[in-house]
Amino acid sequence: MALLDANHLTKTYKNVNAIQDVSFSLEHGKCVALLGPNGSGKTTTLRMLAGFIKPTSGDIAFDQDSLTKDFRNFVGYLPQFPVFHNWMTGKEFLIYVGQLAKLSKDEAIKRADELLELVNLKEVRKLKISKYSGGMKQRLGIAQALIHAPKLIILDEPASALDPIGRREVLNLMRELKKDATILFSTHILNDAEEVSDEILLLNEGHIIEQGSMHELESVQNTVTLKLAFSEEPKFIEDRLKEIESVFKVNQIDKDYLLTVHDLQTARKQLLEVVYQENWQLTKFEVAKTSLEDLFMKAVKK
Amino acid sequence: MQWFVILKKEILENWRNFKWVWVPIVFIIFAVMDPLTTYYLPKIMDAVGGVPEGSIIDIPMPGAVEAMMMSFGELSLLGVLITVVIAMGVISGEMKSGVYELIMSKPVKYSNYITAKFASVVLLILLSLILALITGWYYVLILFGDIAFTALLTSIAFYGCYFLLIIGIVLMVNTWVQSPGVVAFLSIIFIIALNALTSIYGHIFTWSPALLSDYIQVYLASGELVSEIWYSALVALLFTYLCLQFAILTLKNRAV
């Protein structure tokens, strides 16, 4: 059975639906990305699962008979902008929240040491949190979410606000965590989702518009974008490109031609043949990655 | 136990930001200020001079009980103010900064959270109150006259009930708004309203907690504990309990 089933969750604020009829289930040991633009309801969904807000309708069921129990026992939560008691040291804070999560003092100390090691904060454990950098705080935030060995780890935009190095550290950490916990994290960066997640929930305006593995999502879209550029603009190029049967849309952005094609294999073959025959001065031939925007545009338009 | 964990953290925090040092000192200053200046005023005026030749200034020396009531009086005003300032951010401050969200993502019981915070403020304020009043009493003893130490302790016990209520009110208001300044403002309005109502309708609200210091004066003067002092103290404790219950309820129903 799934670790968690969310059934028809809806949250209404003053007649505005923050999220509407959101249903999904999380399998044990999966890492799931909740993907969507700002304001699509990611944080609302996560806070609901963390037990902070009650759904207006719908319910959340853990595999334990836990409708009656406190969710917070099984869930570790990292808010989008974690704030700590800045007068404490990193280690003190971890021990404090560990004890709040019903660990004994000895257990909390032991667990804090392990986690400080894991998130690479061992050297600064005796430093006041007010002296920590943004990346350190984010890692401390992840450590505090893990302190009571939760079954489900919920991370709200864990890497979005970090510089490339901090982002890399957090993503590596998540890859590490994936081995023995279920992770649900939100992001608006497709690359992050692609890199660590097994599954993706695509959220827009409070609705889930797609869900499945990254691979499935891409194949559902069924089209690929190719980017072409030439050193000198050939004549009648647009008409000529449109004649190729596997190309079904041509756009021009600056000097790049964006071709939307159905089947990458045949399109590539046919295109290069035409380029060769016409002796066009090709300077760029790129299979563009499906960007979040493309994915959205396609999914929303459907 | 979770309750002790929160309490310990609060005590440690008050230690690190020196509240355990400055609050008792400030309370002691409030308590000794009036009796001392009253006693030394004639001598100060003599020393400073400037009084026209031949004028006779006769400042009556207050009795021991009156002098002791000066200490209580200052604490009722400035002590209450400091208490409000200390308690105004204990919960609202954590909500405002956002730590509250992290804390509440752990299985923390709202009742533990509120009552442990309450206990931490009560510890600090009651300790300061006891130290201050004992110091005040010491000066009254050597400058004005005798008051039995047991009588003082009994008075402190009743007076403490008033401060419990103040702290209860501030904590309750803490759960309504996220700005410590607004918490202080609303709490002071509440306390002023309580005192104003009591002074206008004192003959009806004989059990009002705001009358506790009046009854303490009666007790110190006559050695008799009137029945109203018991009612006032009980009402203070009851209202404190209700404030805390209401605060717990508010937190439970509030989206974090």
Side-chain angles (χ1 to χ4, degrees), chain B residues 35-192:
Chain B
L36 278 185
T37 47
T38 307
Y39 184 80
Y40 287 108
L41 192 62
K43 292 193 174 80
I44 293 168
M45 285 173 79
D46 268 353
V48 174
V51 184
E53 203 66 34
S55 57
I56 298 162
I57 301 169
D58 189 24
I59 303 168
M61 256 311 131
V65 173
E66 276 174 291
M68 194 65 229
M69 287 321 290
M70 287 176 181
S71 291
F72 279 103
E74 287 298 327
L75 288 172
S76 294
L77 200 68
L78 298 173
V80 166
L81 208 63
I82 296 284
T83 307
V84 171
V85 169
I86 297 245
M88 69 184 182
V90 285
I91 296 167
S92 68
E94 290 197 353
M95 283 183 176
K96 196 179 180 189
S97 76
V99 205
Y100 182 72
E101 198 183 6
L102 260 193
I103 299 302
M104 283 305 165
S105 74
K106 300 286 174 256
V108 176
K109 271 185 156 179
Y110 294 104
S111 52
N112 281 346
Y113 184 73
I114 296 267
T115 53
K117 294 250 172 197
F118 176 74
S120 77
V121 183
V122 165
L123 267 181
L124 175 66
I125 295 297
L126 282 193
L127 182 98
S128 306
L129 214 56
I130 291 168
L131 287 176
L133 285 168
I134 288 179
T135 319
W137 169 80
Y138 169 76
Y139 281 107
V140 169
L141 202 67
I142 55 177
L143 300 179
F144 296 93
D146 230 6
I147 290 178
F149 186 62
T150 49
L152 175 79
L153 289 185
T154 313
S155 306
I156 294 176
F158 281 107
Y159 196 54
C161 295
Y162 180 58
F163 273 81
L164 289 188
L165 176 60
I166 303 287
I167 298 167
I169 290 174
V170 185
L171 253 90
M172 175 179 72
V173 179
N174 255 286
T175 60
W176 299 349
V177 280
Q178 292 195 5
S179 155
V182 179
V183 171
F185 175 75
L186 288 178
S187 308
I188 287 171
I189 298 260
F190 261 98
I191 295 162
I192 289 175

Side-chain angles (χ1 to χ4, degrees), chain A residues 47 52-54 70 72-73 75-77 79 82-85 87-89 92-93 96-97 99-102 105 128 144-145 147-148, chain B residues 1-2 5-6 8-10 12-13 16 94 97-110 113 117 252-256:
Chain A
R47 287 166 63 86
F52 285 145
I53 24 183
K54 294 185 184 81
D70 196 343
R72 299 179 296 177
N73 286 312
V75 174
Y77 175 69
V83 183
F84 311 92
H85 289 299
W87 53 271
M88 284 183 170
T89 68
E92 279 174 340
F93 189 82
Y96 175 52
V97 290
Q99 286 181 288
L100 288 183
K102 296 170 184 169
K105 179 144 198 185
K128 293 263 160 65
Q144 68 77 29
I147 193 86
H148 54 311
Chain B
M1 203 177 115
Q2 197 176 57
V5 172
I6 302 175
K8 265 197 222 153
K9 172 249 155 196
E10 291 292 319
L12 183 69
E13 183 170 9
R16 294 227 175 130
E94 290 197 353
S97 76
V99 205
Y100 182 72
E101 198 183 6
L102 260 193
I103 299 302
M104 283 305 165
S105 74
K106 300 286 174 256
V108 176
K109 271 185 156 179
Y110 294 104
Y113 184 73
K117 294 250 172 197
K252 263 186 193 162
N253 290 317
R254 164 190 196 116
V256 173

Side-chain angles (χ1 to χ4, degrees), chain A residues 101-271:
Chain A
K102 296 170 184 169
L103 299 182
S104 75
K105 179 144 198 185
D106 292 340
E107 284 167 349
I109 292 172
K110 193 165 153 259
R111 187 82 184 130
D113 281 329
E114 286 169 17
L115 287 172
L116 285 165
E117 182 100 50
L118 177 72
V119 302
N120 200 14
L121 286 175
K122 213 175 169 199
E123 274 89 62
V124 292
R125 67 189 185 280
K126 285 182 178 162
L127 218 60
K128 293 263 160 65
I129 298 175
S130 51
K131 302 227 162 49
Y132 281 23
S133 71
M136 289 174 176
K137 281 186 182 167
Q138 202 68 14
R139 278 179 282 149
L140 182 65
I142 293 177
Q144 68 77 29
L146 299 175
I147 193 86
H148 54 311
K151 290 197 158 49
L152 173 63
I153 304 167
I154 297 179
L155 310 170
D156 196 354
E157 304 272 2
S160 305
L162 299 176
D163 62 22
I165 299 169
R167 190 176 143 258
R168 175 71 21 228
E169 285 170 346
V170 167
L171 290 179
N172 287 342
L173 191 55
M174 285 172 68
R175 207 170 288 125
E176 199 64 31
L177 298 178
K178 250 167 79 169
K179 289 172 190 160
D180 37 29
T182 309
I183 303 179
L184 176 64
F185 74 104
S186 73
T187 181
H188 57 260
I189 303 169
L190 188 72
N191 280 343
D192 292 359
E194 219 174 353
E195 212 168 296
V196 289
S197 68
D198 307 312
E199 262 176 55
I200 284 178
L201 297 168
L202 207 58
L203 208 60
N204 191 36
E205 291 175 350
H207 298 271
I208 289 190
I209 49 179
E210 287 292 350
Q211 56 183 314
S213 70
M214 192 71 205
H215 187 69
E216 278 168 17
L217 277 187
E218 270 172 352
S219 62
V220 162
Q221 301 314 323
N222 201 15
T223 57
V224 183
T225 304
L226 295 177
K227 224 185 244 180
L228 274 65
F230 306 94
S231 60
E232 56 188 75
E233 191 125 330
K235 285 171 187 165
F236 313 118
I237 179 166
E238 275 208 49
D239 296 336
R240 191 72 184 87
L241 284 174
K242 277 178 186 160
E243 283 167 18
I244 305 169
E245 60 182 292
S246 59
V247 174
F248 84 110
K249 204 171 141 203
V250 179
N251 281 323
Q252 193 179 5
I253 297 177
D254 294 333
K255 289 189 171 169
D256 287 350
Y257 286 90
L258 296 181
L259 310 187
T260 313
V261 301
H262 281 295
D263 180 4
L264 180 60
Q265 299 293 344
T266 43
R268 178 162 46 200
K269 192 157 163 273
Q270 293 175 344
L271 255 171

